[in-house]
Amino acid sequence: MMLVFTLLTLLIVLGLLVLNFNGALTADPKFQILSTVLLIVGAVLCCQQYGVLRGSFIFLGMVTLVGTVLALLPWQFKQIKR
């Protein structure tokens, strides 16, 4: 179970890192396709591990948390430099 959760977290973080470009959505189609594939595999893995309904909400919560952190990180670094 812990190995699956670690793999799931890694897939979500990698998918969002590929999709993130300086706090905004990337325009490169290759990165968008790669990110979509990683996030779909992560969603399927999460739904398989926790059940469809609970897994969907866990996946959405993890994506929201990691996406928010990745979107706010460049802004925070700009604030520190001032």
Side-chain angles (χ1 to χ4, degrees):
M1 172 131 167
M2 191 64 172
L3 179 66
V4 174
F5 187 73
T6 306
L7 180 64
L8 170 68
T9 306
L10 186 66
L11 284 174
I12 290 173
V13 169
L14 285 177
L16 291 176
L17 278 175
V18 170
L19 195 60
N20 186 27
F21 180 74
N22 289 334
L25 184 65
T26 184
D28 190 4
K30 292 181 288 187
F31 287 153
Q32 288 180 349
I33 291 171
L34 178 64
S35 176
T36 302
V37 169
L38 288 172
L39 290 174
I40 287 174
V41 170
V44 168
L45 193 65
C46 192
C47 288
Q48 180 184 10
Q49 184 68 28
Y50 297 108
V52 176
L53 187 61
R54 184 184 300 165
S56 299
F57 283 113
I58 290 173
F59 176 76
L60 287 175
M62 290 177 69
V63 167
T64 302
L65 178 69
V66 174
T68 303
V69 168
L70 287 176
L72 292 178
L73 229 65
W75 177 79
Q76 184 66 30
F77 286 139
K78 287 178 187 175
Q79 295 297 324
I80 291 173
K81 289 181 181 179
R82 289 184 186 178

